[in-house]
């Protein structure tokens, strides 16, 4: 027995396969029919549409870092004639967004996030527009140590990764906390 949830999963898998081949707008519709009480037939109706390579990746809202730096964080690339890739793959794009946000966070922009994106169809492919909200840089303005009687503040501060007037990086805070 195959239920509607399994059919939906198969539809998504077929769409994702088509995405990897350059068909991001493929439509898949799984239809179940019964020939009798014990036999079930599932037919997948597929409308492939046109191949849509990524011709351009454009960033909007980024003022702190150049678009080329952000593009370097991405696995998604534009289509090049003699190169592999260059097609819209939803999972890869979403993973790229996470990588870009983490890249900002490691540099102290803890509120940076991809607020939206659009795929704009063109005759020869698509343009991927990515809007970033960078937010303010979060810095350590004051570093206070309490309860240290045997070591001086200066001795302890030399061992910490966190420094006064530097970008706050959560991973460094956690590393210093675990020492």
């Amino acid at each position: 027995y195959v239920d509607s949830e399994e059919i939906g999963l198969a539809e998504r898998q077929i769409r994702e396969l088509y995405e990897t081949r350059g068909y991001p707008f493929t439509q898949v519709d799984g239809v179940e029919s019964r020939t009798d009480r014990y036999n079930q037939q599932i037919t997948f109706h597929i409308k492939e549409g046109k191949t849509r390579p990524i011709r351009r990746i454009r960033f909007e809202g980024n003022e702190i870092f150049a678009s080329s730096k952000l593009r370097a964080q991405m696995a998604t690339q534009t289509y090049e004639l003699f190169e592999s890739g260059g097609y819209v793959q939803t999972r890869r794009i979403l993973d790229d967004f996470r990588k870009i946000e983490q890249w900002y966070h490691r540099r102290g922009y803890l509120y940076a996030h991809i607020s939206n994106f659009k795929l704009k169809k063109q005759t020869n492919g698509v343009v991927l527009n990515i809007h970033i909200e960078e937010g303010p840089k979060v810095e350590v303005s004051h570093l206070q140590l309490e309860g240290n009687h045997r070591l001086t503040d200066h001795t302890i501060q030399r061992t910490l990764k966190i420094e006064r007037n530097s970008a706050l990086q959560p991973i460094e805070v956690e590393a210093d906390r675990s020492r």
Side-chain angles (χ1 to χ4, degrees), residues 22-82:
Y23 295 88
F25 305 107
T26 298
Q27 297 174 358
V28 180
D29 185 32
V31 178
E32 172 192 3
S33 59
R34 292 192 174 273
T35 53
D36 60 38
R37 185 167 100 170
Y38 301 107
N39 294 306
Q40 171 182 23
Q41 179 177 333
I42 301 166
T43 304
F44 291 98
H45 300 282
I46 301 170
K47 293 182 184 174
E48 294 175 335
K50 294 181 180 179
T51 183
R52 299 284 183 173
I54 299 172
R55 296 295 179 183
R56 188 168 173 208
I57 299 172
R58 190 169 64 210
F59 291 92
E60 300 166 348
N62 57 311
E63 296 177 8
I64 310 296
F65 299 108
S67 295
S68 59
K69 294 253 188 210
L70 303 179
R71 216 173 283 113
Q73 308 310 309
M74 300 177 68
T76 302
Q77 300 296 320
T78 56
Y79 177 81
E80 301 292 333
L81 186 57
F82 297 109

